[in-house]
Amino acid sequence: MPLRNDFDQLVDVKGGFISREIFVDADIYRQELDKVFTRAWLLVGHESLVPNPGDFYTSRMGEESVILCRDKKGDIHVFLNSCRHRGMKVCRYEQGNTSLFTCPYHSWTYTTDGKLQGVPLHRTLYDGVLDREANSLVSVAKLCNYKGSIWATWDKDAPDFITYLGDAKIHLDQALDCRDGREGGSEVIGVHKWVFPANWKFAAENFLGDTYHNPSHRSVDLIGIGPSAAAGKKGRRDDELEKAQHVWISFPEGHGVHSAIQPEANEYIESFLDNPILEKYFRHCFEERKRRLGEGARLLPFVGTIFPNTSYHGRQPRGLCAWHPHSPTSTEGWRFFLVDKDAPNEAKEYLRRYYMRYSGPAGMTEQDDMENWLYATAASTGTVARRYPFNYQQSMGAYVTDHPLGGDVSTQVTEQIARGFYRRWTTYMQGGDWHELLGSPAGNRQAAE
Ligand code: FES
Ligand code: FE
């Protein structure tokens, strides 16, 4: 595959124009899998999906199937789901428990820590030749269990995950660490998986903090079943938005978030919970979050994206989304919904119903978003359409750079975060080293201005 090197023309961050080619072109997509998805830290899953020794959960990194597995000793691993003999998928199930992975093709077996164990007719056919250690399942280069969420990278030179997060950490913390932060404090209450015909970057960009698209959700807000309103309480969300001070932050690593600095009391909770058990529970969550995170707890993220393809919600629905690429114009969305393990059953049930109503393929707002992404993708594949770039000129230069929150901080709706994301995407596509990929705030700003 010839490598493209015209990204400086395709991604014009200074001018605020980005070519549609990067959302539809097959060569760019192949290069993206190689240059972005084999290097960046990617979300694989959550430890609560594999609570016991021998538990496994098949996940994805880029287009590739991987196995998230807890071995006999209780350690977590992530392996490429492909046999070292002829490449057969060694695990064809979504999740389960096993003592060995047995390849269906010729029956090589692998232990739960990835070691090649059984080879049929080994003495006769392979004696003295086959190095079992060298033919173990391919493991990721680095793995991190961060507050229960499991992340991995194929790049042995990648920085540790906390360095990779940079100043975006405190925002992600709120999605992961809602309450008391005990080991395994949260659990995944459900996973939605679905495929939609759009480029993965539409979804990642949407969650970077594209608050400008809120009119898309006008219908759910009008009838009072939007993100912050119970039935019959229309208008509450707007009231709450008024009270909070909003910030949109572009981080030099390519991450982004739309957060709100809340008033002292958590009026968001009070505004829509009529049930004393739920109100008590959510108030407790807020107080615990404040105790653990200090002032940072007042910054509650609506949405955020960790570069490249992991998004999150810090308020309800609290959880993580992975946007797995399938092709330039096809993406598999996974939503992991999180809840505190020891939350009252009533709270879990309330959240379960809330998540299903609000998010996922049948959720009210997710459908709105997907319509935008898939129609925009389809309308950008044509020969004529591809000649005209997308406009990213919103709120050019409208941010501060010396804010204690780090990154470029805007107090108005902005595409600065998207510009920062695509600038960092360009660095990956050009094969930048990790110093460049992590960026510096100054470097990020210079490019944007
Ligand atoms: Fe797995 Fe042959 S492909 S044993
Ligand atoms: Fe939306």
Side-chain angles (χ1 to χ4, degrees):
M1 180 186 81
L3 283 184
R4 290 190 64 149
N5 57 9
D6 54 347
F7 295 104
D8 286 335
Q9 285 87 55
L10 295 170
V11 180
D12 177 9
V13 171
K14 284 183 187 167
F17 291 99
I18 295 179
S19 170
R20 299 180 191 218
E21 292 289 341
I22 77 164
F23 298 89
V24 296
D25 182 79
D27 287 341
I28 292 177
Y29 173 76
R30 298 308 310 175
Q31 196 161 330
E32 207 169 44
L33 292 177
D34 182 37
K35 300 288 185 190
V36 177
F37 284 88
T38 65
R39 300 191 69 195
W41 280 92
L42 306 175
L43 176 72
V44 177
H46 193 272
E47 64 177 11
S48 64
L49 296 166
V50 288
N52 303 307
D55 283 353
F56 64 85
Y57 189 89
T58 49
S59 185
R60 298 175 68 92
M61 291 175 70
E63 276 190 356
E64 296 178 271
S65 176
V66 296
I67 308 170
L68 167 64
C69 182
R70 192 182 288 272
D71 71 19
K72 273 201 291 206
K73 288 187 293 184
D75 294 331
I76 288 179
H77 304 268
V78 175
F79 305 116
L80 195 63
N81 187 6
S82 180
C83 181
R84 296 300 298 273
H85 181 225
R86 283 295 182 285
M88 176 64 187
K89 240 180 173 180
V90 295
C91 182
R92 291 173 295 165
Y93 305 97
E94 283 191 39
Q95 64 188 118
N97 183 279
T98 190
S99 52
L100 284 173
F101 293 103
T102 303
C103 178
Y105 202 165
H106 311 92
S107 298
W108 284 18
T109 60
Y110 300 89
T111 57
T112 50
D113 59 358
K115 300 277 185 322
L116 175 60
Q117 179 170 290
V119 176
L121 301 174
H122 177 262
R123 283 213 186 124
T124 315
L125 307 179
Y126 292 100
D127 202 23
V129 177
L130 183 67
D131 180 343
R132 286 177 202 254
E133 188 68 33
N135 284 277
S136 297
L137 290 177
V138 175
S139 174
V140 292
K142 292 187 176 182
L143 182 148
C144 179
N145 180 342
Y146 186 61
K147 296 179 188 284
S149 59
I150 308 296
W151 303 74
T153 172
W154 297 111
D155 186 352
K156 64 178 176 25
D157 297 323
D160 66 79
F161 183 63
I162 302 301
T163 303
Y164 181 83
L165 283 180
D167 288 326
K169 176 179 170 297
I170 196 158
H171 304 275
L172 178 65
D173 283 349
Q174 308 235 21
L176 300 174
D177 215 8
C178 186
R179 197 178 180 197
D180 59 10
R182 287 196 302 272
E183 205 55 42
S186 287
E187 64 182 359
V188 172
I189 201 172
V191 186
H192 282 165
K193 301 178 180 180
W194 73 104
V195 177
F196 53 90
N199 186 274
W200 66 272
K201 293 189 290 300
F202 274 106
E205 182 190 318
N206 189 93
F207 283 79
L208 281 169
D210 175 15
T211 317
Y212 197 52
H213 84 278
N214 271 3
S216 298
H217 302 305
R218 182 78 175 136
S219 57
V220 287
D221 276 343
L222 272 177
I223 56 172
I225 57 172
S228 60
K233 291 187 175 176
K234 67 180 180 181
R236 290 292 178 105
R237 183 161 191 259
D238 289 340
D239 294 346
E240 180 60 24
L241 285 173
E242 289 295 309
K243 284 177 198 155
Q245 183 194 332
H246 290 252
V247 285
W248 287 262
I249 311 174
S250 168
F251 299 99
E253 302 83 2
H255 322 311
V257 71
H258 167 201
S259 262
I261 301 170
Q262 298 183 111
E264 189 50 40
N266 193 351
E267 295 173 33
Y268 169 73
I269 291 165
E270 290 174 8
S271 73
F272 73 97
L273 294 175
D274 303 325
N275 180 316
I277 295 176
L278 296 180
E279 184 168 352
K280 184 173 166 213
Y281 167 67
F282 284 112
R283 187 173 301 287
H284 173 68
C285 289
F286 180 69
E287 292 303 326
E288 281 297 317
R289 207 165 48 219
K290 208 158 67 166
R291 184 177 66 77
R292 288 179 48 74
L293 300 174
E295 272 300 288
R298 293 181 57 217
L299 255 175
L300 194 55
F302 285 82
V303 290
T305 289
I306 302 298
F307 187 94
N309 68 329
T310 302
S311 300
Y312 60 95
H313 283 272
R315 63 202 306 175
Q316 308 308 341
R318 186 166 71 85
L320 300 162
C321 328
W323 310 111
H324 300 299
H326 274 212
S327 80
T329 55
S330 178
T331 300
E332 185 167 337
W334 287 17
R335 268 190 180 268
F336 299 94
F337 297 110
L338 293 172
V339 65
D340 296 307
K341 248 182 193 166
D342 59 353
N345 282 340
E346 196 160 346
K348 288 187 180 181
E349 198 44 39
Y350 165 81
L351 288 168
R352 190 190 307 278
R353 274 191 258 112
Y354 186 88
Y355 294 154
M356 286 192 291
R357 185 181 71 193
Y358 177 52
S359 298
M364 300 297 288
T365 57
E366 202 97 60
Q367 293 188 53
D368 296 335
D369 291 325
M370 279 189 297
E371 283 229 322
N372 295 327
W373 307 336
L374 66 93
Y375 278 111
T377 299
S380 297
T381 55
T383 307
V384 176
R386 286 162 78 147
R387 295 176 190 157
Y388 297 90
F390 293 150
N391 184 299
Y392 283 83
Q393 293 180 307
Q394 186 183 97
S395 299
M396 290 283 252
Y399 53 83
V400 297
T401 55
D402 54 355
H403 199 283
L405 290 172
D408 295 339
V409 179
S410 171
T411 52
Q412 69 185 44
V413 172
T414 180
E415 286 170 353
Q416 174 67 8
I417 312 180
R419 291 189 290 269
F421 176 92
Y422 289 111
R423 167 165 171 69
R424 197 49 67 230
W425 178 89
T426 301
T427 316
Y428 277 86
M429 294 297 271
Q430 292 173 329
D433 63 28
W434 274 106
H435 178 73
E436 294 168 294
L437 293 174
L438 295 180
S440 65
N444 208 35
R445 285 196 298 275
Q446 279 163 13
E449 286 166 349

